[in-house]
Amino acid sequence: MSTPILLDCTLRDGGYYNSWDFPVDLINDYLEAMAALPVGYVELGLRSLKNKGFKGGCAYTTDQFIRTLSVPESLKLGVMVNASELVSGEGSLSSRLESLFVPADGSPVSLVRIACHVHEFEPALEASVWLKDRGYQVGFNLMQVADREADEIRRLSRLASSYPLDVLYFADSMGSMNPADTRRLVALFRENWTGAMGIHTHDNMGNALANTMAALEEGVTWLDATVTGMGRGPGNTRTEYLALALSGDGSREFNITPLLSVIRNYFDPLKSEHQWGSNPYYFLAGQYGIHPTYIQEMLSDQRYSEEDILAAIEHLKVEGGKRFSFTNLEAARHFFRGELTGRWRPEASLKGREVLVLGSGPGVERHKDIIELYIKTFKPFVLALNAQRGVSDALIDARAACHPVRLLADCDAHRSLPQPLITPYSMLPEDVRQSLEGKEILDFGLKVSSDTFEFNASSAQLPNSLVVAYVLAIATSGGACRISLAGFDGFSADDPRNAEMEKLLELYLQHPEHLPLRSVTPTRYRVPTISIYGLVS
């Protein structure tokens, strides 16, 4: 077996968490630690033509930037280019390459890797000729090939054989592979590709190191890893683990102490902040072939509850999530399918009445006694959100819930609660409807349409799927005279959930059919507020 080449790409792959903005002190200490390991190449970052929004030095990794660093002589340096930047945009492929690279003898970079989706591979291959002519080593990383048919793998490897690549990588982009899958892919590539091969793994299902070692056993010699696994989504094979695994036969001497120091001083604090590493959400994404960036984005956004993330995964499993898109991510929050439909008309119960909405904030429990007195005195239609129980059940007329995963989680509670449940029953997944079997249901339809409030007799179109938007629509469609809110305390000003709610309430109050809206307990939201204590004499 040829001696494996360990390529550390922490600053490139890990940059997805911190916009490639690594302090120079961290980079220099990291490079010293790499030199003490059996690391042959360090991929310092991306090299990119795009400049939109702030990104740090490792997003561009220019020769000028590299020369500000203290690079040990023993390390060879690489950068990665996304094929999408080479095969599209203004000018020819060669002109774009000329914007990125000088001849290798005038650059500190010796290796250029090009990351390609399958459809980009053939048009990008010509870049290997241009780069080789200028003295660079060239690698191509094929992404998302784990689920490709055997004939397509053979075709791709045959194409690669016609170009001067130094190494052909395949990436387990979705983290869905196991060692058997790895061995199968290597065998398929080997039918036509006889050059060096490399593997880049993701750790969604905890198989990153096992897949790397399986590839090594099959003759793959270029092995990617990152310090503590820092990388997009759940991260990658850990450099510290792979280095130890490669030293198992005692043939390689190295000093891991500098790396452990760098981990303690820099990467452990970064991991505490950004929380990379596998978890059940990434595991599910790996199972269903969903791009890990969907999970990464949801975990970093406080608007997404556990129920939201699971519901989005269910949506992406059906609709497809192999390629990340912010548009698809937003759509995945809104999981109702089929035609807008509903059977219950709230007008029969709400016409001309005040609707008191009980939220889940601490204001309900804190002011419980006066809220109950208010209900007994003024007889509003009392509508509670989900299964929360801050006020006596005898005083609640109905409950509203519309989140499928939340409904599944609360199904036992809802069946035991005495009030009817208002929900978009006809539009819910079959398993959710089955979970509510035997419950009195008031079926009010819901469709999500950006920046839209539309009120119909038995359904509504709303800007999002928040249960608050749903109850605003129920009250408005039912012709209530007023909506009073209790227990809508709100979140801190810098919490994105607060901004989302503010936008929702503002959009509602701008609608010509909106009802008078007020909060009767303390709230951070910008809505008219009065004291419930001043209403009950």
Side-chain angles (χ1 to χ4, degrees):
M1 184 186 298
S2 300
T3 302
I5 298 168
L6 200 167
L7 185 150
D8 188 279
C9 50
T10 306
L11 304 183
R12 192 267 304 169
D13 214 339
Y16 287 99
Y17 276 104
N18 66 346
S19 298
W20 297 273
D21 190 18
F22 293 92
V24 170
D25 288 348
L26 179 156
I27 298 175
N28 288 335
D29 287 354
Y30 154 82
L31 291 171
E32 288 292 338
M34 293 299 101
L37 293 176
V39 169
Y41 290 79
V42 167
E43 191 169 68
L44 279 173
L46 295 167
R47 188 160 287 188
S48 176
L49 293 166
K50 295 181 179 179
N51 193 347
K52 183 179 180 181
F54 177 80
K55 298 181 181 70
C58 293
Y60 305 99
T61 327
T62 62
D63 290 347
Q64 293 83 352
F65 172 73
I66 295 172
R67 291 188 178 105
T68 68
L69 306 174
S70 299
V71 182
E73 290 186 7
S74 62
L75 290 179
K76 295 179 181 178
L77 302 182
V79 295
M80 177 171 278
V81 182
N82 286 317
S84 58
E85 294 192 38
L86 298 180
V87 301
S88 61
E90 296 181 3
S92 63
L93 182 144
S94 60
S95 67
R96 288 189 281 273
L97 286 166
E98 286 171 1
S99 299
L100 293 170
F101 297 100
V102 300
D105 59 8
S107 172
V109 170
S110 60
L111 171 69
V112 178
R113 297 203 298 175
I114 298 173
C116 299
H117 290 98
V118 169
H119 69 280
E120 298 162 339
F121 187 57
E122 186 170 4
L125 276 169
E126 192 63 34
S128 65
V129 177
W130 190 96
L131 289 162
K132 289 296 290 184
D133 285 346
R134 284 150 184 83
Y136 290 98
Q137 289 181 281
V138 180
F140 265 63
N141 284 33
L142 263 168
M143 300 183 289
Q144 298 186 7
V145 294
D147 60 351
R148 296 287 174 163
E149 296 294 332
D151 284 346
E152 186 161 23
I153 301 296
R154 296 185 183 104
R155 181 184 70 84
L156 294 168
S157 60
R158 192 160 46 245
L159 278 171
S161 298
S162 301
Y163 288 85
L165 309 186
D166 292 287
V167 55
L168 177 62
Y169 266 84
F170 64 96
D172 180 18
S173 305
M174 305 302 179
S176 58
M177 291 169 53
N178 59 39
D181 298 324
T182 302
R183 297 177 193 279
R184 179 185 68 85
L185 272 179
V186 173
L188 287 171
F189 275 110
R190 280 297 182 211
E191 291 185 26
N192 292 297
W193 173 256
T194 58
M197 287 191 66
I199 185 170
H200 178 91
T201 59
H202 282 183
D203 207 27
N204 297 59
M205 304 178 74
N207 290 328
L209 180 60
N211 287 336
T212 299
M213 298 308 291
L216 176 63
E217 291 169 5
E218 298 301 312
V220 173
T221 52
W222 288 66
L223 312 175
D224 278 14
T226 61
V227 175
T228 68
M230 185 182 189
R232 180 151 55 177
N236 315 103
T237 297
R238 298 185 181 194
T239 300
E240 57 273 26
Y241 289 2
L242 182 55
L244 291 168
L246 293 177
S247 69
D249 61 1
S251 62
R252 291 188 170 201
E253 292 187 5
F254 65 92
N255 181 7
I256 200 171
T257 304
L259 177 56
L260 297 179
S261 177
V262 166
I263 290 171
R264 184 186 70 245
N265 292 332
Y266 297 115
F267 288 97
D268 278 348
L270 277 172
K271 189 172 185 179
S272 295
E273 179 182 356
H274 297 291
Q275 296 295 310
W276 63 82
S278 193
N279 59 43
Y281 307 120
Y282 284 122
F283 187 93
L284 290 170
Q287 272 193 326
Y288 302 137
I290 296 167
H291 200 289
T293 301
Y294 284 109
I295 309 301
Q296 180 177 324
E297 289 294 328
M298 288 190 285
L299 289 174
S300 65
D301 188 336
Q302 289 178 297
R303 296 179 304 161
Y304 289 86
S305 66
E306 290 82 359
E307 294 95 339
D308 287 324
I309 298 174
L310 291 171
I313 290 171
E314 285 297 311
H315 172 85
L316 291 165
K317 178 177 72 172
V318 175
E319 301 299 326
K322 290 186 67 173
R323 297 199 66 179
F324 177 74
S325 159
F326 279 106
T327 300
N328 289 346
L329 177 58
E330 188 62 23
R333 292 188 73 200
H334 314 310
F335 15 69
F336 303 102
R337 300 187 180 93
E339 294 297 319
L340 178 60
T341 182
R343 298 187 179 90
W344 176 66
R345 295 183 170 226
E347 185 177 32
S349 301
L350 274 59
K351 183 70 173 178
R353 294 181 66 183
E354 175 189 4
V355 174
L356 175 63
V357 182
L358 301 179
S360 56
V364 171
E365 183 65 32
R366 182 177 177 185
H367 306 290
K368 174 183 177 181
D369 292 343
I370 195 69
I371 291 172
E372 292 186 345
L373 180 58
Y374 180 87
I375 294 169
K376 294 171 184 176
T377 302
F378 294 101
K379 305 292 191 292
F381 185 92
V382 181
L383 187 53
L385 304 188
N386 298 311
Q388 61 92 8
R389 307 185 73 166
V391 164
S392 170
D393 282 337
L395 299 175
I396 297 174
D397 294 291
R399 293 178 179 273
C402 58
H403 196 301
V405 178
R406 180 68 181 269
L407 281 163
L408 277 175
D410 291 345
C411 63
D412 290 339
H414 281 303
R415 283 196 298 264
S416 68
L417 290 166
Q419 304 86 14
L421 176 64
I422 308 172
T423 192
Y425 185 80
S426 303
M427 306 178 71
L428 292 173
E430 179 62 30
D431 59 338
V432 182
R433 294 201 298 268
Q434 290 177 356
S435 75
L436 296 171
E437 187 174 345
K439 177 69 182 177
E440 181 184 356
I441 298 292
L442 304 177
D443 182 11
F444 186 78
L446 164 59
K447 180 178 180 180
V448 175
S449 182
S450 180
D451 296 329
T452 300
F453 269 109
E454 182 180 300
F455 311 108
N456 307 311
S458 58
S459 64
Q461 291 192 53
L462 309 176
N464 57 41
S465 54
L466 293 177
V467 69
V468 179
Y470 190 53
V471 298
L472 293 175
I474 292 166
T476 309
S477 294
C481 67
R482 177 193 295 121
I483 301 173
S484 296
L485 307 175
F488 286 77
D489 301 54
F491 305 95
S492 61
D494 60 349
D495 191 315
R497 292 172 294 181
N498 206 71
E500 185 173 40
M501 181 69 82
E502 289 282 16
K503 182 179 178 181
L504 171 70
L505 294 171
E506 180 181 3
L507 189 64
Y508 176 74
L509 291 172
Q510 290 172 351
H511 195 282
E513 296 179 46
H514 82 271
L515 301 178
L517 179 68
R518 66 185 186 184
S519 177
V520 296
T521 59
T523 182
R524 293 186 178 93
Y525 303 128
R526 291 192 296 269
V527 294
T529 303
I530 60 175
S531 173
I532 192 169
Y533 290 92
L535 297 174
V536 181
S537 58

